[in-house]
Amino acid sequence: MSPEPVLAVTDLDVHYRRRQGRLHALRGVSLSVAPGETVGVIGETGSGKSTLARAVVGLVRPSAGRITVAGAEVTAFRARQWRALRRRGIVQYVFQDPLRSLDPDLTVEESLAEPLLIQGRPRREAVERVRAYLARVRLDEELLSRLPGELSGGQRQRVTIARALVTEPRVVILDEPVSALDAANRVKALELLTSLRDAGTALVFISHDLGSVAGVADRIAVLYRGEIVEDGPARAVVNTPRHAYTRLLVGSAPTLRSARADRASRRRLRALLRTEEGIRHDV
Ligand code: ADP
Ligand code: MG
């Protein structure tokens, strides 16, 4: 029997109210994450990735479906209960925009210590742990007294990741954690995530780029227009994608591409565009 999932999303629907009417952003999405597992969620811009992440941490209210975090049914939680859950540090969320994840007026040390102090840990333990996590994300202690505005983009994102992990959460949702970084920093951040996987924390790694996720994830779920169209072991999804849209993603990931796959994916793209109204872009 597989262990109880640390995160389970079942038949989740999310609607947004907009001036032009309601937008059905997620349709019947189910996703299960086992303890310590790294699950990649991929899909293009507008497919609903951030909506899923935000629903899982209580920032978006689903219109249907169920969410359980570490065995607790949280779907009907009120804002106050969500805040309490987040404070307990069981589930953490790294925002797409690293600038939004950090308070501009807190130093690196204060930012990292804050979630520990909120948890009620003694100051001395918090300070020690902050230093340990700074080392784990391979940042120098001299950065402790800096403000986010005094860090490079890559350093800032490492601080954000350290902050999410410092409470040793059961599950961390990383929403496009490397998209804002340049190529060199992206590679470093991916290496970092790979090394952190071993700590027993489950990661949900969201990206529009299959190439970034393929090397890190145990499993990959493919989100297309608000629906999970494929979910399987990472290797199977990359090597033998079943859904036309996944084949398209595999074909367009530069690091995975071969000339043959290129030709095949162009053919499939054309077929896909003929059979559906086209791939929706962010509206
Ligand atoms: P992704 O993260 O995959 O780019 P999102 O989850 O951000 O996708 O968005 C999914 C769809 O929902 C998009 O069409 C987007 O424009 C729409 N959307 C996202 N947030 C809101 C919101 N707060 N209000 C209305 N529509 C939204
Ligand atoms: Mg997004």
Side-chain angles (χ1 to χ4, degrees):
M1 219 179 69
S2 53
E4 189 185 344
V6 69
L7 171 68
V9 174
T10 316
D11 295 331
L12 198 72
D13 270 46
V14 172
H15 290 90
Y16 288 118
R17 241 189 284 278
R18 308 209 287 188
R19 257 176 306 161
Q20 314 91 304
R22 286 193 344 152
L23 177 87
H24 204 165
L26 292 180
R27 301 164 189 268
V29 166
S30 295
L31 186 73
S32 168
V33 180
E37 190 180 30
T38 297
V39 176
V41 176
I42 58 162
E44 68 188 330
T45 303
S47 57
K49 304 181 299 295
S50 294
T51 302
L52 176 59
R54 292 166 60 78
V56 161
V57 294
L59 298 173
V60 165
R61 188 166 277 280
S63 35
R66 253 170 61 116
I67 302 169
T68 62
V69 177
E73 158 97 55
V74 297
T75 326
F77 265 22
R78 295 169 183 284
R80 188 172 44 80
Q81 292 170 293
W82 273 112
R83 273 198 299 278
L85 183 77
R86 286 194 295 263
R87 281 188 168 185
R88 280 165 60 209
I90 292 172
V91 52
Q92 295 282 8
Y93 177 31
V94 176
F95 283 88
Q96 192 161 345
D97 174 6
L99 276 177
R100 272 179 61 198
S101 295
L102 295 172
D103 183 332
D105 297 323
L106 291 186
T107 65
V108 169
E109 181 166 38
E110 289 162 347
S111 260
L112 294 180
E114 186 186 47
L116 295 167
L117 298 175
I118 288 173
Q119 280 187 335
R121 306 211 191 211
R123 201 189 63 84
R124 253 183 73 178
E125 187 196 320
V127 167
E128 266 169 37
R129 199 182 260 249
V130 164
R131 280 175 167 65
Y133 272 81
L134 202 69
R136 279 187 69 185
V137 300
R138 291 186 231 114
L139 286 175
D140 201 279
E141 283 198 10
E142 71 170 42
L143 299 185
L144 282 171
S145 57
R146 298 233 195 129
L147 295 170
E150 299 164 342
L151 300 173
S152 73
Q155 290 171 332
R156 211 179 288 141
Q157 191 60 320
R158 276 159 191 258
V159 172
T160 308
I161 292 171
R163 182 181 150 93
L165 293 164
V166 75
T167 54
E168 293 177 352
R170 302 282 311 279
V171 55
V172 181
I173 321 289
L174 301 135
D175 192 355
E176 310 254 13
V178 299
S179 304
L181 304 178
D182 58 43
N185 274 310
R186 191 173 303 168
V187 170
K188 280 193 218 150
L190 287 173
E191 284 168 6
L192 169 66
L193 288 178
T194 313
S195 72
L196 293 173
R197 247 188 353 181
D198 308 333
T201 296
L203 304 178
V204 177
F205 181 1
I206 293 173
S207 177
H208 65 274
D209 172 31
L210 177 60
S212 328
V213 170
V216 184
D218 303 308
R219 243 176 59 224
I220 293 178
V222 181
L223 199 56
Y224 177 61
R225 294 177 173 181
E227 287 181 67
I228 302 249
V229 294
E230 186 153 356
D231 181 354
R235 195 173 299 169
V237 170
V238 171
N239 292 337
T240 52
R242 289 196 315 263
H243 192 273
Y245 177 63
T246 316
R247 291 191 206 112
L248 178 64
L249 288 177
V250 170
S252 60
T255 47
L256 301 167
R257 187 152 64 196
S258 72
R260 211 180 58 186
D262 255 1
R263 279 196 300 279
S265 96
R266 274 199 294 273
R267 268 201 312 276
R268 287 181 195 115
L269 168 62
R270 287 178 192 133
L272 188 73
L273 290 175
R274 275 199 303 274
T275 52
E276 311 198 28
E277 315 107 85
I279 296 155
R280 195 190 57 189
H281 286 276
D282 213 1
V283 269

